[in-house]
Amino acid sequence: MRILVISNLYPPHHAGGYELACEEMVANLKGRGHEIIVLTSTYGEGRLQTEDDVYRWLMLRFERRVNWRDVLLKERLNQAAFRHVCEEFSPEVVFFWNMSHISISLAAIARDMGLPTCYYIFDNWLATWEMDHWFQLWRARGKGLDYFLHRLLSRKFALIVPPFLWDMSSVVFASSYLKSVALSVGKPVQDAAVVHWGIDIDKFPYKSTDSPVPSRLLYVGQIVPHKGIETVIEALGITRQSLGDRSLSFDIVGDHDGASTYTAFLKDVAGRCDVDDRIAFIGAVLRENLPNVYQSHDILVFPSLWDEPFGITQLEAMSSGLAVIGTGTGGSAEILESEVNCLTYSKGDAAGCARQISRLLENRSLFRTLRRNGRKTVEKKFRIDQTVDLLEKALVDAPKVQRSNKKVWEVATTSKRVRRQEFAIKAASYKKQLKLVKLACQAAEILNPLRWAKNLIIRSEIILVALALALLRKSSLLPPLRKPGAVAFAAHRIQTVLVIHLAGKDRAVLISPFLRELRRFLPHAWIGLVVRPATANLFEKCPYIDKVMVFDGGGMENGGKSKDSPVLSWLGAIRYVMRNFNKVLVDMAILPGWEDERELTASHALMRLIGAPWRLGYLEATATPVRPQKISLDQPFTYGPQKGMPRNEVESQLDILRFLGAHIASTDTEVWLSEEDYRYAGRVMANAASDSADFVVALSPGGQYSGLQWPVERFIRLGRWLQEDYNAYILVIADDAHLVPACQIYKGLVRGRAMFIGDSSRPRRIAALLERCKMFVGAYSGLIHLAAAVGIPVITIFGPEDYRRFSPRGAGHEVIRLHLLCDQCGGACLYTSPLCLDGIEVSKVKRLVAAKLEPCQ
């Protein structure tokens, strides 16, 4: 059987989990006598390559949004490459392994050519295939000049255009979890099969001898924050303290060169937990050497914080005779059976992980049982020959389709070598043609008189602001601009510190650990905090700062970037500094935000205007040109760490202090309440007048972006279930942006057993109310951080927000989200309704709520 395999990435240039699985599948199918060609991307090469039966011809683009000229070039190359290989090879079936970031149009072309297709889904690309650049280009085309230009060029280059018609009747998922995600977002895959991936147990032989004491822990995988490696390090510290000085060690296998920031954070965690001498970063290991790595260890820890599509590493460890400790998230739950072939703990719970490690150290019988059962699990359910059997049957049974056009695709008679050379020549021609189109468009843009006028206005504004600053400094109306010079940083020299925190209410609480640790680091210094009016109430009782300063400058009233000229923000900042700092010399100014604060012109202006010699903030990892629209005039920072991969906002802020040499004692958030706040909460709950008022659950519709919220009717169903099954009293809380959906939720609940609180102007009062609740359940907003800070369990429904940065801090909290490739879109949803929220069913939230409330009954 002639099989054409399509994969966006393929070893040896990119050796991720599913790419290695694809390579192994190809090898097994070839071993069964099938003839196979692999068509993949040029990723890692940058040019067309042909290696035996692997054609690296496809263009890959990882960016979420690409300009239409690059999209056109990508489709021109990819569609032509697919047709060319089909003409040359004449496949009997096309096996799509992964099409994310290449071209979904290849599936439609296969249908046009009458080729049977089969899809093996190893991640969530199918659930959000509409992210495809070509599809999005036509979806947003309108009927203007661009539409006719795109249509003209598509006809010239013989490109297939949306809407696409492609066959999903032969879809196979690697896990039931992946299928459930696709179903939850409306994909017609009800009848799709689930074929779990398997491994070659001969390549991962069972370790027959036990270690005298199981003490060698192992992690194998990507070195990225959502893998939760810090949980294991913290657990190792707890275990070492509770059991004494055992010879526990933890080896981390994976490529950490591309994750230097996260690796540095892990090393810092190891230092804080006093286990840095027991942690080793092994680096990337060739796949053929992995069996030896497993043989030299006792316990695999799989601490993932996100819903894993599957989890091949666990199978390899089980086959090799390692005991497995994991979180059992996503598809991993289909491998792990707690207390039978593994031990599990709640994700992010270092204490829970430590308990499971201790059990294996102290109970040799349990350790041996898990090892044996793990191997039996792999032998029974997860062998590669079983997987190949089922996928081979799916390929043979792939439904035949009729050609959707009259053109007959004839098989070429020339040699493969000549055909490959011919396509390389054509590809070079395509690039030249599209380059001419690009140059023509750029010329038209440059000659546009409106563009010239806009740039002239922007540059005029910059010149006027620069002149104004020079005059104000010369007249001593602004503080002098000082430079740190060659003097090395020393904490005892810093006498005055100003922290600029203009974040909104949704992130205000997250700076509390930073303020606490800053005070510990500089106990002698005067510390001021500049905040927005909306968040000032939260910091009035903060014991770590000397003065709360409210900034209400131009462009900040609506809580975001200035909608008018950035000059307004600069003028507001100048007026504020003249009033408050013209006679004050600040030694150090800090902008702790990892990203969002740097996008605010007012924050940049304040950093620059107060004249502090030490201006700390995150520096860009690479030098980038400053956009004139920001009117930066100069980089606002003189000192600070470089930006790396995003992590929880609390950790990112504390990295500023770590950069200065501070030792972080605690990362817990906190909120500072007064007696008046507690009395307010007491009066409110006294008015509840309900027998269930001592069992209160808070609900909040949240939702950072308008129109992207979990449906109100689902909140109502959840609230009524809590009222009926748990006799709970529901406190519906909302800030100003969510009053309408919150009112609708309140009206849908049982009257007399619910209360609506819509006053968000005093967040401390809301925190005092939350402290009286058993749990908080809601979509993302600042309320989740208030609830976590007062110590109640939090269940957060995340949509397009960045859960990596803004998950609630601390153990015992849960994040509910669909791990779609289109997530973290910043509110610019690609769909008519948000799949990331519509796909979260009430039943899933109920299960988590029930598990959290069970100890409270």
Side-chain angles (χ1 to χ4, degrees), residues 53-69:
D53 296 326
V54 179
Y55 291 31
R56 301 186 186 277
W57 287 3
L58 300 177
M59 178 177 280
L60 181 69
R61 297 300 295 261
F62 287 107
E63 302 93 323
R64 179 164 291 185
R65 289 179 175 82
V66 182
N67 71 70
W68 69 266
R69 295 179 293 274

Side-chain angles (χ1 to χ4, degrees), residues 500 502 570 573 591 595-610 615 618 620 626 630-637:
I500 299 173
L502 300 182
W570 270 91
L591 186 61
E595 181 178 41
D596 302 83
E597 293 296 343
R598 297 203 60 196
E599 294 298 319
L600 294 173
T601 304
S603 295
H604 280 201
L606 288 174
M607 287 291 291
R608 186 68 180 162
L609 290 170
I610 62 173
R615 301 192 296 276
Y618 273 97
E620 295 291 345
V626 178
K630 289 186 177 182
I631 313 189
S632 294
L633 299 181
D634 194 356
Q635 285 299 319
F637 309 116

Side-chain angles (χ1 to χ4, degrees), residues 382-452:
F382 301 105
R383 297 198 321 270
I384 187 64
D385 55 320
Q386 297 171 326
T387 304
V388 176
D389 287 342
L390 295 171
L391 289 181
E392 185 180 35
K393 184 178 185 302
L395 290 168
V396 172
D397 295 343
K400 306 296 186 293
V401 294
Q402 297 294 322
R403 297 184 189 278
S404 61
N405 58 29
K406 298 180 180 179
K407 184 172 182 177
V408 178
W409 300 90
E410 299 178 353
V411 179
T413 57
T414 55
S415 70
K416 290 184 179 180
R417 182 176 181 182
V418 173
R419 298 288 290 175
R420 293 172 190 173
Q421 290 177 347
E422 180 185 333
F423 181 75
I425 295 171
K426 287 183 177 180
S429 175
Y430 302 156
K431 291 181 179 179
K432 289 181 181 178
Q433 293 171 350
L434 269 299
K435 189 174 183 179
L436 291 175
V437 172
K438 182 177 181 180
L439 290 173
C441 293
Q442 288 176 340
E445 185 177 351
I446 290 173
L447 296 175
N448 185 351
L450 293 177
R451 180 174 178 271
W452 281 88

